[in-house]
Amino acid sequence: QVQLVESGGKMVQPGGSLRLSCVASGFTFSNYDMSWVRQAPGKGPEWISGIYGGTTTSYADSVMGRFTISRDNSKNTLYLQMNNLKPEDTALYHCARGFFDYATQPWGQGTQVTVSS
């Protein structure tokens, strides 16, 4: 079955950096577009980044210039490099299969990122 397992989340200070990973299994990872979605406490899910057509990337305005999405198909892994983190980046971060259709595709359980001094 499809599995997406995120890791790398932790508590960091404002201005810090983190790299999240998402290991995929149960499907041919290289054949699928992928996305990152986050959910802050008390708020709905927010799509923040995706990679489609193999190499084309896209970002929400809220993370543009600070976050970088990438993938390593040889490792079935999706990454999210997050720099200059802000308190408003505090959320549970999920990877999701798909780009245009991510909302109806499988998601991982998420990894918690907390940005606080």
Side-chain angles (χ1 to χ4, degrees):
Q1 71 278 22
V2 172
Q3 277 199 309
L4 298 166
V5 180
E6 302 93 338
S7 63
K10 63 178 185 178
M11 180 178 285
V12 295
Q13 292 188 340
S17 296
L18 281 177
R19 188 176 81 156
L20 306 184
S21 300
C22 169
V23 178
S25 62
F27 64 102
T28 304
F29 178 70
S30 59
N31 287 352
Y32 285 84
D33 303 332
M34 296 293 295
S35 294
W36 285 97
V37 182
R38 69 185 181 186
Q39 186 158 14
K43 297 188 176 181
E46 176 192 16
W47 176 91
I48 58 170
S49 183
I51 184 165
Y52 63 96
T55 58
T56 303
T57 59
S58 182
Y59 300 91
D61 289 345
S62 58
V63 305
M64 181 81 71
R66 299 187 299 122
F67 291 10
T68 303
I69 190 172
S70 62
R71 67 190 299 165
D72 185 339
N73 290 336
S74 70
K75 297 181 179 179
N76 287 350
T77 303
L78 180 73
Y79 301 101
L80 185 69
Q81 176 67 43
M82 306 187 296
N83 298 328
N84 190 23
L85 283 160
K86 304 176 181 181
E88 52 264 42
D89 294 318
T90 295
L92 186 64
Y93 284 71
H94 303 268
C95 66
R97 193 172 74 175
F99 179 77
F100 300 103
D101 60 345
Y102 75 91
T104 60
Q105 292 282 327
W107 293 24
Q109 290 296 307
T111 186
Q112 179 67 40
V113 173
T114 302
V115 185
S116 175
S117 55

